[in-house]
Amino acid sequence: KVYMRLGRYPSALSDNDSLQILLGNDGKTLIDAVYLFQKAKILYYTQEYSASKDLCLALLKHPTVEEERFLGYTYELLSKNYVELNYYKAAYTYHLEFEKYEEKEIFNTSKLKMEELEAQYETETNAAIIKAQKQAISQQRVTQWTTAGLAGVLSLLLLQTFRNAKTRKQNNKALKLSNNQLGKSNALLAEKNKENELLLKEIHHRVKNNLEIVSSLLELQADRITDETTQGILKDSQNRVQSMGIIHQ
């Protein structure tokens, strides 16, 4: 990794091969899969796109690759190799696979966060309902004691007045607590809305990037065609794709 960051790719490739020989695995372990991926990256940086492409294809058939996170990065690297080899259709296909894998990771993360927020919101709502019921019961008891106190002596009336003042203080304290909890719930909802807006912007950005790729592919294809009619059709298609891309800006 140090050699790769320094741009000394031949040294990085040599160390990577030495590590594989030193480990001496059967080629089916996770470490072997990591070795293949690192070697494919080094070959890509050294512009050996065909060899890098072959290693990526072999990595997709590896028994452990689907269980690991670098599956999506393998699709991405394979797409880049095909672009350099001028196989644009295959490059686009594997780029879509990379986008699907990445969107799945984002969707799963967002879904877990949504479930956590919903559970927390339901817990706080239930707690608020229980507190409101307790307050209603307490208020009913206070009313009963007040009615009984009206028939009593002055001492009992003063005692009841004291109890009412104490109850109002408790109710105000409970109301303040409920307002604080409501404020926390609103803050959580605002945070979730912010996350949703961020996800929506990310989706627009990816769609725009995909449309730019399609537009570039159409432009490259048009430059290779000498027939003016076909060129015109490809240019019109490119303009339409660019117009769609403006919508997602």
Side-chain angles (χ1 to χ4, degrees):
K1 289 184 178 179
V2 173
Y3 280 135
M4 288 181 65
R5 291 185 179 183
L6 294 174
R8 297 170 61 180
Y9 300 118
S11 298
L13 182 62
S14 177
D15 280 0
N16 198 57
D17 290 337
S18 298
L19 178 61
Q20 174 67 6
I21 295 172
L22 180 63
L23 293 174
N25 294 316
D26 58 0
K28 298 181 179 180
T29 64
L30 175 60
I31 295 178
D32 293 300
V34 174
Y35 156 75
L36 288 176
F37 181 72
Q38 291 294 334
K39 186 172 183 178
K41 283 178 61 177
I42 297 170
L43 291 174
Y44 174 79
Y45 289 132
T46 57
Q47 300 182 358
E48 297 182 46
Y49 305 119
S50 181
S52 178
K53 179 259 298 181
D54 292 339
L55 283 178
C56 289
L57 291 174
L59 184 57
L60 292 179
K61 299 178 182 179
H62 197 274
T64 65
V65 68
E66 292 185 357
E67 301 176 3
E68 298 302 322
R69 286 185 172 269
F70 59 80
L71 175 60
Y73 299 115
T74 302
Y75 284 133
E76 182 183 28
L77 182 59
L78 190 56
S79 175
K80 290 180 179 180
N81 281 313
Y82 275 121
V83 168
E84 299 296 338
L85 293 171
N86 297 326
Y87 294 122
Y88 299 110
K89 183 176 181 180
Y92 182 67
T93 299
Y94 284 108
H95 184 77
L96 290 179
E97 291 296 328
F98 166 67
E99 291 286 348
K100 291 178 182 178
Y101 183 85
E102 196 172 37
E103 288 173 2
K104 180 179 178 182
E105 290 294 320
I106 293 176
F107 174 77
N108 289 336
T109 302
S110 176
K111 183 178 180 181
L112 289 175
K113 289 184 178 179
M114 176 67 79
E115 290 175 353
E116 291 176 359
L117 288 174
E118 288 178 350
Q120 186 173 359
Y121 177 75
E122 289 178 359
T123 301
E124 293 177 355
T125 302
N126 292 334
I129 293 173
I130 293 173
K131 287 185 178 181
Q133 291 175 346
K134 289 182 178 180
Q135 291 175 5
I137 294 172
S138 178
Q139 188 63 42
Q140 289 176 356
R141 290 177 178 176
V142 170
T143 303
Q144 291 173 355
W145 280 107
T146 303
T147 303
L150 292 176
V153 294
L154 181 59
S155 60
L156 294 177
L157 180 61
L158 293 175
L159 180 60
Q160 187 63 40
T161 302
F162 174 76
R163 289 182 177 180
N164 288 339
K166 184 178 180 180
T167 301
R168 283 195 299 269
K169 183 178 180 180
Q170 292 175 348
N171 290 340
N172 290 334
K173 184 177 180 180
L175 181 59
K176 184 177 180 181
L177 181 60
S178 297
N179 290 334
N180 291 336
Q181 291 176 344
L182 182 59
K184 292 179 181 179
S185 297
N186 290 335
L188 288 174
L189 290 175
E191 184 66 21
K192 181 58 188 174
N193 289 334
K194 185 177 179 181
E195 291 178 0
N196 289 338
E197 290 176 0
L198 181 62
L199 289 174
L200 183 60
K201 290 180 181 180
E202 181 66 18
I203 290 172
H204 280 297
H205 178 69
R206 292 179 180 178
V207 171
K208 181 173 70 66
N209 288 345
N210 290 338
L211 291 174
E212 288 177 357
I213 292 174
V214 174
S215 177
S216 299
L217 293 175
L218 290 172
E219 183 178 4
L220 290 173
Q221 190 65 32
D223 292 338
R224 295 184 177 185
I225 296 175
T226 58
D227 183 60
E228 294 182 356
T229 301
T230 305
Q231 278 188 343
I233 293 173
L234 291 176
K235 290 293 183 181
D236 289 341
S237 299
Q238 183 183 1
N239 292 334
R240 292 188 182 97
V241 171
Q242 290 174 348
S243 299
M244 292 171 65
I246 292 174
I247 297 175
H248 293 278
Q249 287 183 350

